[in-house]
């Protein structure tokens, strides 16, 4: 596409092809620029509404993406429905996201992409059984669909475990060796399965695709922390950026590193945010209780862990923390 644009900068179709390629790489800003150049060079503006909605969504503006998707002509209805599903999901409107996803499936019941979108929606909505069913349908319809293979790998990981999921990510990478999302999922699964050398190699490959990839830097930070190279872990997490640091995994890692450093107030702040997001995250509760006990807030630490130690399967560490708090 770049070659075509260079050969004839006034060829609108070449700019349109470049925009589609950018969207496939999740590069929203580049896609929007190419779409605007396509219109400037003769492409009918009606043809770009669904594409522009996708580009805007990739830039993190679901409301404006919905406005643009609603302008799409009937010929692009399926694409517009897929963008609307993702936009509603990003905006937290699960009912509208489900409506759009099901409408897309009804419109194209044999399209692996729409089943993948439905599976992704169901997974985000907590319907794991429905997500597994949709992922299976997607790979059944198109066994070479990279997005479907990635989703199937994620579902197999939650259903059957880490090692069982690896072949699905490997299949996705065999189809598209430099697919960033597949590389990240493969690396994280390798790391959790204890294959750290392979994990590191895959994160480096992901950074060849996207230099300074926040997800790859985060995974490397996790790896450094597990190796007790805490200074390196902090540096890598900082390089990953605030977007990663604010996610549950980033908060957990950041809070753990703060605890190790003795920065208990910072640890409390991060881990409290995590517990507010995930009240049933027992590991986060225990870490937060540890930070509270070390910062002379034993009463708060005890109250935090009371629901945990009240359970019949309470672990020894949680019980010990509460005992130390009372002490």
């Amino acid at each position: 596409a770049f070659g075509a644009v260079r050969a004839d900068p006034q060829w609108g179709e070449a700019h349109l092809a470049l925009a589609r390629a950018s969207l496939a790489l999740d590069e929203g800003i580049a896609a929007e620029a190419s779409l605007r150049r396509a219109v400037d060079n003769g492409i009918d503006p009606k043809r770009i509404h669904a594409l522009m909605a996708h580009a805007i969504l990739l830039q993190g503006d679901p409301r404006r993406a919905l406005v643009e998707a609603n302008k799409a002509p009937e010929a692009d209805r399926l694409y517009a429905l897929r963008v609307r599903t993702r936009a509603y999901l990003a905006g937290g409107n699960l009912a509208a996201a489900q409506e759009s996803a099901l409408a897309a499936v009804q419109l194209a019941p044999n399209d692996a992409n729409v089943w993948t979108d439905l599976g992704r929606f169901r997974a985000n909505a907590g319907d794991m059984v429905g997500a597994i069913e949709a992922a299976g349908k997607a790979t059944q319809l198109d066994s070479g669909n990279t997005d479907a293979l990635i989703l199937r790998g994620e579902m197999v990981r939650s259903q059957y475990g880490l090692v069982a999921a690896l072949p699905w990510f490997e299949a996705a990478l065999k189809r598209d060796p430099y697919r960033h999302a597949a590389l990240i999922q493969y690396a994280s699964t390798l790391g959790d399965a204890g294959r750290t050398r392979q994990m590191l190699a895959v994160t480096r490959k992901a950074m060849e695709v996207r230099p300074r990839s926040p997800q790859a830097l985060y995974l490397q930070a996790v790896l450094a922390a597990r190796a007790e190279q805490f200074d390196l872990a902090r540096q890598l997490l900082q390089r990953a950026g605030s977007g990663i640091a604010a996610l549950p995994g980033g908060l957990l890692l950041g809070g753990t590193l703060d605890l190790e450093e003795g920065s208990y107030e910072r640890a409390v702040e991060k881990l409290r945010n995590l517990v507010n997001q995930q009240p049933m995250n027992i590991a986060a509760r225990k870490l937060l209780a540890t930070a509270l006990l070390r910062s002379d807030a034993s009463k708060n630490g005890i109250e935090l862990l009371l629901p945990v130690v009240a359970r019949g399967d309470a672990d020894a560490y949680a019980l010990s923390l509460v005992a130390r708090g009372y002490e």
Side-chain angles (χ1 to χ4, degrees):
F2 269 126
V5 168
R6 281 195 294 267
D8 186 354
Q10 295 182 332
W11 188 15
E13 291 292 345
H15 289 288
L16 195 61
L18 182 56
R20 292 183 186 278
S22 297
L23 290 172
L25 294 170
D26 295 331
E27 295 176 356
I29 295 174
E32 181 176 357
S34 292
L35 289 170
R36 296 195 183 283
R37 283 193 287 270
V39 172
D40 291 341
N41 287 281
I43 295 296
D44 186 347
K46 292 180 181 178
R47 290 179 61 189
I48 73 157
H49 287 307
L51 295 164
M52 184 63 81
H54 189 181
I56 292 168
L57 180 60
L58 288 173
Q59 296 174 57
D61 192 345
R63 287 187 180 182
R64 196 159 66 93
L66 285 169
V67 172
E68 197 68 31
N70 291 335
K71 298 177 185 176
E74 186 63 25
D76 292 330
R77 183 165 178 253
L78 182 61
Y79 196 164
L81 282 169
R82 293 184 62 207
V83 174
R84 286 172 61 185
T85 299
R86 299 180 193 182
Y88 281 128
L89 188 59
N93 190 339
L94 297 183
Q98 177 175 262
E99 184 180 345
S100 295
L102 292 174
V105 169
Q106 190 173 17
L107 185 63
N110 295 318
D111 189 321
N113 289 315
V114 300
W115 281 99
T116 302
D117 290 343
L118 179 62
R120 185 68 64 189
F121 158 74
R122 286 174 172 173
N124 280 288
D127 178 9
M128 300 309 293
V129 174
I132 291 167
E133 178 188 358
K137 179 71 173 177
T139 51
Q140 180 184 346
L141 288 167
D142 183 357
S143 60
N145 186 301
T146 308
D147 287 331
L149 289 167
I150 294 170
L151 178 63
R152 187 70 185 274
E154 292 176 46
M155 295 302 100
V156 168
R157 183 172 59 196
S158 65
Q159 190 176 16
Y160 298 112
L162 300 166
V163 176
L166 292 173
W168 292 98
F169 299 127
E170 289 163 359
L173 290 168
K174 186 176 181 180
R175 172 83 178 195
D176 187 353
Y178 286 93
R179 184 61 178 273
H180 183 263
L183 289 166
I184 293 301
Q185 290 294 341
Y186 188 40
S188 64
T189 307
L190 285 168
D192 288 341
R195 302 182 184 180
T196 52
R197 290 183 183 275
Q198 288 177 269
M199 172 192 176
L200 183 58
V202 176
T203 59
R204 286 172 174 166
K205 187 173 181 179
M207 293 180 75
E208 289 177 24
V209 181
R210 292 189 188 176
R212 296 185 60 83
S213 163
Q215 296 91 340
L217 286 166
Y218 164 72
L219 289 175
Q220 289 182 359
V222 171
L223 189 57
R226 287 173 179 169
E228 298 186 7
Q229 296 186 30
F230 299 117
D231 288 340
L232 176 59
R234 288 187 197 94
Q235 292 170 18
L236 290 166
L237 186 59
Q238 187 174 14
R239 287 177 60 198
S242 58
I244 289 289
L247 294 175
L251 289 170
L252 184 64
L253 178 58
T256 303
L257 292 173
D258 288 338
L259 260 177
E260 188 278 332
E261 189 182 40
S263 302
Y264 302 129
E265 294 300 324
R266 281 193 309 186
V268 166
E269 182 182 356
K270 290 172 185 173
L271 294 167
R272 183 170 280 139
N273 285 339
L274 177 56
V275 170
N276 289 337
Q277 290 181 36
Q278 299 180 340
M280 299 306 294
N281 189 329
I282 305 301
R285 280 183 176 269
K286 288 190 284 189
L287 282 170
L288 177 53
T290 301
L292 288 167
L293 263 62
R294 292 183 184 177
S295 58
D296 296 325
S298 298
K299 183 179 179 182
N300 293 334
I302 292 168
E303 290 174 353
L304 186 74
L305 284 178
L306 282 180
V308 178
V309 298
R311 293 168 45 157
D313 60 348
D315 62 282
Y317 184 63
L319 291 164
S320 298
L321 282 174
V322 172
R324 290 182 179 181
Y326 281 125
E327 181 183 38

